[in-house]
Amino acid sequence: VNTEKNIVIIGCGASGGTAAQFARKTDRKTSITIFEKNGYSQYSKCGLPYAISGIIPQLDNLIEFNEEWFKKQNINLLLNTIVEKIDIKNRIVTAKKANTAIEKSYDSIIICTGAKPFIPPVKNINVEGVYVLRSIDDAKKIKSFIKKGKNAVIIGAGLIGLEMADNLYKMGMKITLIEAFPEILPNTIDKDMSEIIYRDITKKITVLTNHLLTNVESINGKISKTIMKNKITGNEEKIPADLMIIAAGTKPEVLLAEEIGCKIGNTGGIIVDEKCQTSIPNVYAVGDCTEYKDFVLGKPMLVGLGSIAVRQGITAGVNAAGGNHKLLKGFLQTSTSEFFDWEIASVGLPSKYLGDKNILSGKFNGSSLPEYFPGGKPITIKLLVDEKDGLILGAQAVGDKAAQRINTFAAAILGGINVETMRKLETAYAPPIAPTLDAVTLVCDIVSMKIERKNR
Amino acid sequence: VNTEKNIVIIGCGASGGTAAQFARKTDRKTSITIFEKNGYSQYSKCGLPYAISGIIPQLDNLIEFNEEWFKKQNINLLLNTIVEKIDIKNRIVTAKKANTAIEKSYDSIIICTGAKPFIPPVKNINVEGVYVLRSIDDAKKIKSFIKKGKNAVIIGAGLIGLEMADNLYKMGMKITLIEAFPEILPNTIDKDMSEIIYRDITKKITVLTNHLLTNVESINGKISKTIMKNKITGNEEKIPADLMIIAAGTKPEVLLAEEIGCKIGNTGGIIVDEKCQTSIPNVYAVGDCTEYKDFVLGKPMLVGLGSIAVRQGITAGVNAAGGNHKLLKGFLQTSTSEFFDWEIASVGLPSKYLGDKNILSGKFNGSSLPEYFPGGKPITIKLLVDEKDGLILGAQAVGDKAAQRINTFAAAILGGINVETMRKLETAYAPPIAPTLDAVTLVCDIVSMKIERKNR
């Protein structure tokens, strides 16, 4: 009689691979099987833009844990295997690899089906030269279309759109970046912050905000032009395009979860609790296919960051293997990126998504070093604070060590430190490293003074 | 009738100058007078090593607020002016500038007399070529003794000693660094952490730990040799020296405060409360002449960091001018420096000073970037946690962006975030910036797992 537990994991992305790894760490004996529909084991999706430009030399370098590794961990990884059905009554997963049907009984199942790219509903879009960037296979196609002096159009000026723009620009392509919002990075930072970058990058590439993709022209089945519409003027514009990349967001892939009755939230993601459990017993879900509470707002939002997916993977993996691990009560949405020599980072949501909160905000713009020390770099931090209690709702940084500075605000949010206390944070000071009062506390000063003025 | 308040500030270092600045910000009309015994207005002492080597081109560059600036702020700054007496009964300060006596009545007084260097009790030490580094005048003397290929001996391998070693090394001098403790940086980080640096710098300079200065030899009144004793073997050693710099710590300068009856603590510093008030009414004290509670230990310690001095200056300045400002309940002792291409930082005290706390510690050693991304730099973080409640007692970092990473732990200590929660901190992730799980959380994992094992 086999008394070992069976864990079945669907999808070997960052969340699925991590879940397997932590299930194994929690229980050395449990049987772990991963079904992955594509032909690659766990790799870094976020690294794809850099492997396309060659900063990361080979696409294969992105594979963080190869098949060998999973084998050594006694994890049964089946690539090119599509899960067709989950029978929750008899606890059996049915999958197909090539033409062979596979049946696997389970005690726990972890759904890590990720997200699929949002494709604008535009005619003629299914032509050669139009790609999304979600997989190594996508990257391979894009890589074959890179040519110095040729035109690349990127749809969506979010983090991935800007990373692709930078990497293709470095390869010598002429870039047009299209964004439907009035600003770049609309889902990451406020417009006054993204404008710092906008002003600079428009010297190097064409950026069209307030523009929508309306059509694609092709010659012999290959893209030749992108047709855009200005949302304000209604004018149409044709832009030559040898390559078009769609980076216009994603939609959670929840088909399997829906079929077995997992509750889906209003965001379209699978509802999970702090243990990553779905509404169906013994079924966990993690990563981009799920929604979870935002720490600050307390309301569910789609998971869209690799860092969160990995943390969910840890939680689900530990719990599925019989351990006990809980997520924080919400996610902080800490994120960062770098493009065109700008480091940006943020924690929490941009102002426009903070709903009915009464926001007091302040912005500090200064140097990373004391004035008298050579080599200081610009750093701008914007802080969003709840007028009611001074609690920090979010922070956005552009410039020197933006990510690590934002991590400090992430800790402040996590610890419930209000802005009045945070302004007194004793930051590390040394002339070659940071000023006596770091930008981190100076931006708190600015907001605190606004609060004082209000309360006078 | 003059109904304006009079604030008198004794000393125009970082704390005194800052106090004046914030007193002025708090009250535009109050009369503010600063008596400064030396000939310079507020400048950066911490910048001196870099101005000696020329990284900061001129010593004058260190002046952060010049006489002109104080004048514009309507702050009456008197340089080269020595305070001789404080009459607390009649509230009059008596000072002397050249041969002119000055009397100034006060409503509040802020004592910012700083600290004086500790000089080892060694005969023959008062010769040419032996200097401390506390002032621009000291730096001028040192600068005149710098010569490529000549021998510099530095007494004390603390932050200033190492900064001086690096800067003189860059000028082509042969360096011998002497430390009485068994390790370098004994008051900043633990030995296992400082050894990372020790192993590297000993390829470039001579470092003698466990050594005491016992004598100085001179020729024509100029230093020629330094005589050291090995504390373990008792052996004496003579080292050629063309320049000797004493960086062996400081003692608070509390004479004036003592004379008027301010309570002095066991550390030798003036006792102040969270408003920077001494035990005498209307007398504040700030900076290196004071002691204040350590945040983690709750027991008083000498203030020795410019970052704390400035924060105290803000508090005393605001309060003396009629505002209301409080320090945090203790200081975090966040500090950083950079030498021989190593960035180090710490918050809290090294293990050996944590007394009867039951410490669980863990150390993470890894890269600043994901493995697959080129250009990752080493980062090592050590975390000290209270076994009882998982609260963070201190953190030490050596390597990439050490200071900003330590600031995140400073926020964690300030917010009372325990290690179990901190390990779940959502740090900013992007391949060119940081891994999905930053060193900041990975070191928390290591300590958390030790706690779990203990509780099993």
Side-chain angles (χ1 to χ4, degrees), chain A residues 251-272:
Chain A
K251 282 179 147 183
E253 177 59 75
V254 298
L255 261 178
L256 270 174
E258 255 181 335
E259 274 174 18
I260 59 171
C262 289
K263 273 191 192 152
I264 307 297
N266 290 330
T267 66
I270 305 165
I271 296 175
V272 292

Side-chain angles (χ1 to χ4, degrees), chain B residues 134-243:
Chain B
R134 290 292 294 176
S135 69
I136 284 189
D137 291 329
D138 296 331
K140 278 183 181 162
K141 289 177 207 152
I142 292 169
K143 219 169 167 169
S144 74
F145 268 78
I146 294 175
K147 234 182 199 161
K148 213 175 158 172
K150 294 281 184 183
N151 296 294
V153 175
I154 296 162
I155 311 296
L159 293 172
I160 297 169
L162 273 153
E163 288 163 6
M164 271 317 299
D166 182 27
N167 279 284
L168 295 178
Y169 176 80
K170 281 183 180 136
M171 301 297 285
M173 294 193 81
K174 287 185 231 163
I175 313 291
T176 305
L177 182 61
I178 309 295
E179 173 56 52
F181 267 95
E183 73 257 24
I184 62 169
L185 297 165
N187 298 319
T188 308
I189 54 178
D190 286 356
K191 195 178 180 208
D192 55 333
M193 291 296 284
S194 66
E195 263 171 2
I196 300 169
I197 298 162
Y198 178 85
R199 280 194 299 269
D200 180 61
I201 65 173
T202 45
K203 294 170 198 160
K204 297 170 180 169
I205 67 171
T206 304
V207 181
L208 301 176
T209 52
N210 280 318
H211 274 68
L212 286 173
L213 177 72
T214 53
N215 210 340
V216 168
E217 282 184 13
S218 57
I219 295 169
N220 298 330
K222 239 181 164 172
I223 189 171
S224 62
K225 287 201 172 78
T226 297
I227 296 134
M228 319 299 313
K229 189 169 139 187
N230 185 319
K231 281 169 73 182
I232 312 286
T233 64
N235 289 345
E236 284 220 334
E237 198 169 342
K238 281 191 189 184
I239 302 161
D242 304 292
L243 168 64

Side-chain angles (χ1 to χ4, degrees), chain B residues 317-330:
Chain B
V318 169
N319 292 334
N324 181 13
H325 199 275
K326 283 182 183 178
L327 295 175
L328 295 175
K329 68 168 191 176

Side-chain angles (χ1 to χ4, degrees), chain A residues 318-357:
Chain A
V318 169
N319 293 334
N324 181 12
H325 199 276
K326 283 181 183 177
L327 295 175
L328 295 175
K329 69 169 189 172
F331 51 52
L332 298 166
Q333 312 228 40
T334 322
S335 80
T336 182
S337 189
E338 191 193 52
F339 26 74
F340 298 101
D341 297 320
W342 290 97
E343 181 172 329
I344 74 149
S346 63
V347 57
L349 296 168
S351 302
K352 62 175 170 288
Y353 296 123
L354 290 176
D356 54 3
K357 298 265 180 195

Side-chain angles (χ1 to χ4, degrees), chain A residues 22 25 44-47 50 55-57 61-64 163 305-308 310-311 314 325-328 330-338 343-347 370-374 401 403-412 414-417 421-434 436-438 440-441 445 449, chain B residues 22 25 44-47 50 55-57 61-64 163 305-308 310-311 314 325-328 330-338 343-347 370-374 401 403-412 414-417 421-434 436-438 440-441 445 449:
Chain A
F22 278 81
K25 278 191 187 177
S44 168
K45 275 191 172 49
C46 300
Y50 311 92
I55 291 176
I56 297 169
N61 297 146
L62 296 177
I63 295 173
E64 298 190 272
E163 288 162 7
L305 293 167
S307 45
I308 299 171
V310 164
R311 283 154 176 84
I314 294 171
H325 199 276
K326 283 181 183 177
L327 295 175
L328 295 175
F331 51 52
L332 298 166
Q333 312 228 40
T334 322
S335 80
T336 182
S337 189
E338 191 193 52
E343 181 172 329
I344 74 149
S346 63
V347 57
E371 228 176 278
Y372 58 80
F373 204 93
K401 301 185 186 83
Q404 293 295 338
R405 287 188 158 96
I406 285 301
N407 285 348
T408 301
F409 284 109
L414 183 57
I417 305 176
T421 302
M422 192 64 181
R423 75 188 292 197
K424 296 175 184 172
L425 180 73
E426 220 180 287
T427 52
Y429 155 60
I433 309 285
T436 36
L437 298 164
D438 193 89
V440 162
T441 67
D445 278 342
M449 285 187 284
Chain B
F22 279 80
K25 277 191 187 177
S44 167
K45 276 191 173 48
C46 300
Y50 310 92
I55 291 175
I56 297 169
N61 297 147
L62 295 178
I63 295 173
E64 298 189 274
E163 288 163 6
L305 293 168
S307 45
I308 299 171
V310 164
R311 282 155 177 84
I314 294 171
H325 199 275
K326 283 182 183 178
L327 295 175
L328 295 175
F331 51 50
L332 298 166
Q333 312 228 41
T334 321
S335 80
T336 181
S337 189
E338 189 193 53
E343 182 172 329
I344 74 148
S346 63
V347 58
E371 226 175 281
Y372 57 81
F373 205 92
K401 302 186 185 84
Q404 294 295 338
R405 286 187 159 97
I406 285 301
N407 286 348
T408 301
F409 284 108
L414 182 57
I417 305 176
T421 303
M422 192 63 181
R423 76 188 292 197
K424 296 176 184 171
L425 180 73
E426 220 180 288
T427 52
Y429 155 60
I433 309 286
T436 36
L437 299 165
D438 192 89
V440 162
T441 67
D445 277 342
M449 284 187 283

